[in-house]
């Protein structure tokens, strides 16, 4: 069974630019979660998508947005990048019911210069 | 009230020793407490989890102890090995909210 896949693995962007990160959940998982892991700040919840709808968002500005497609894959978009957006962005998926434990991908390392 | 407080921030243990990581929470609505292990360059991986109606859960060398009245839970790694060197996160989740609230992480180093 393929795990959660994220792309790209690394990227470097300039302050003010926009970036799109992609996530493919485990087959059969309908929920996708996005987390930001900035150095020294732990794992911060960003967004939760289920069945194509945004179900909840964390305490992040509106320039962080995303969507979930009919095949349950997801994109995270970050506009007007700031230096402090440099972080590892992690996607996780879970089934609609059953286990409450997520399966995480390996993340996308974003560096803003 | 959403916070999960984790300690210590870093831990160094000799091979064969016991590693203990502690977490405390405030929100009594939390009803599922997983632990994640993260190696450099990888995403966190679910290690073991417990529900508050259970006081202890053991899987191999890993044990969660849960004290509901004190709102504390801990991870014990018995016979710690150099391969256990990683960052460990406790977490909590409740009901329909679905998103995990993570502790700040503990960087464990097991010396050979």
């Amino acid at each position: 069974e393929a795990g959660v896949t994220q792309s790209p693995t690394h990227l470097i962007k300039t302050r003010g630019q926009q970036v799109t990160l992609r996530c493919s959940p485990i087959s059969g998982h309908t929920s996708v979660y996005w987390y930001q892991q900035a150095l020294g700040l732990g794992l911060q919840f960003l967004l939760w998508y289920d069945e194509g709808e945004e179900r909840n968002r964390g305490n992040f500005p509106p320039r962080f947005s995303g969507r979930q497609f009919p095949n349950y894959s997801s994109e995270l978009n970050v506009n007007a990048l700031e230096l402090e957006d440099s972080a590892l962005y992690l996607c996780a998926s879970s089934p609609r019911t059953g286990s409450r434990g997520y399966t995480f991908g390996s993340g996308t390392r974003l560096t803003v210069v | 009230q959403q916070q999960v407080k984790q300690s210590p921030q870093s831990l160094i243990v000799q091979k064969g020793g016991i590693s203990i990581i502690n977490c405390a929470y405030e929100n009594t609505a939390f009803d599922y407490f997983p632990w994640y292990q993260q190696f450099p360059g990888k995403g966190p991986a679910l290690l073991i989890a417990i529900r508050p109606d259970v006081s202890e859960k053991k899987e191999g060398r890993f044990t969660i102890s849960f004290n509901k009245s004190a709102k504390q839970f801990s991870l014990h790694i018995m016979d710690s090995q150099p391969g256990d060197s990683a960052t460990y996160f406790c977490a909590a989740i409740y009901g329909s909210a679905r998103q995990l609230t993570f502790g700040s992480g503990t960087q464990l180093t097991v010396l050979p």
Side-chain angles (χ1 to χ4, degrees):
Chain A
E1 177 185 82
V4 177
T5 58
Q6 293 187 243
S7 63
T9 55
H10 298 82
L11 76 165
I12 300 173
K13 289 287 188 177
T14 302
R15 189 173 56 183
Q17 286 188 314
Q18 179 265 346
V19 68
T20 297
L21 312 181
R22 295 177 175 82
C23 172
S24 293
I26 289 174
S27 177
H29 286 192
T30 61
S31 283
V32 170
Y33 310 82
W34 288 94
Y35 282 79
Q36 182 195 65
Q37 187 174 25
L39 193 63
L41 293 180
L43 287 139
Q44 304 294 321
F45 168 71
L46 266 166
L47 291 159
W48 166 31
Y49 291 95
D50 184 64
E51 297 286 356
E53 299 287 330
E54 181 181 302
R55 301 298 183 181
N56 205 356
R57 68 179 292 129
N59 188 26
F60 281 84
R63 57 190 186 83
F64 287 83
S65 65
R67 56 180 174 168
Q68 186 179 34
F69 299 97
N71 66 354
Y72 303 115
S73 67
S74 177
E75 287 182 350
L76 174 68
N77 299 293
V78 187
N79 295 319
L81 283 166
E82 300 179 1
L83 296 179
E84 53 263 36
D85 296 333
S86 296
L88 180 67
Y89 289 84
L90 291 159
C91 172
S93 71
S94 72
R96 186 185 311 155
T97 59
S99 170
R100 309 277 292 284
Y102 299 172
T103 302
F104 280 89
S106 293
T108 295
R109 173 70 64 185
L110 171 65
T111 302
V112 182
V113 298
Chain B
Q1 199 178 22
Q2 293 291 332
Q3 283 186 325
V4 176
K5 296 181 179 180
Q6 183 172 347
S7 63
Q9 184 176 1
S10 63
L11 181 61
I12 299 175
V13 174
Q14 293 287 340
K15 178 182 175 181
I18 302 173
S19 304
I20 302 174
I21 304 170
N22 301 298
C23 286
Y25 64 97
E26 290 294 325
N27 189 348
T28 56
F30 286 137
D31 60 1
Y32 184 75
F33 300 87
W35 284 88
Y36 284 82
Q37 178 189 56
Q38 185 178 28
F39 293 104
K42 300 292 185 182
L46 180 63
L47 192 61
I48 186 173
I50 197 168
R51 298 189 185 278
D53 54 346
V54 176
S55 61
E56 186 175 280
K57 183 174 182 180
K58 183 176 181 179
E59 291 185 1
R61 297 184 294 109
F62 300 91
T63 301
I64 300 178
S65 297
F66 192 89
N67 186 329
K68 188 174 181 178
S69 61
K71 293 186 286 187
Q72 296 175 348
F73 59 110
S74 60
L75 176 69
H76 293 64
I77 306 174
M78 312 300 288
D79 187 26
S80 297
Q81 300 296 313
D84 297 330
S85 297
T87 300
Y88 292 81
F89 293 93
C90 62
I93 192 171
Y94 68 93
S96 60
R98 297 290 296 274
Q99 70 265 19
L100 286 164
T101 299
F102 283 90
S104 54
T106 296
Q107 187 168 355
L108 172 65
T109 302
V110 181
L111 301 176

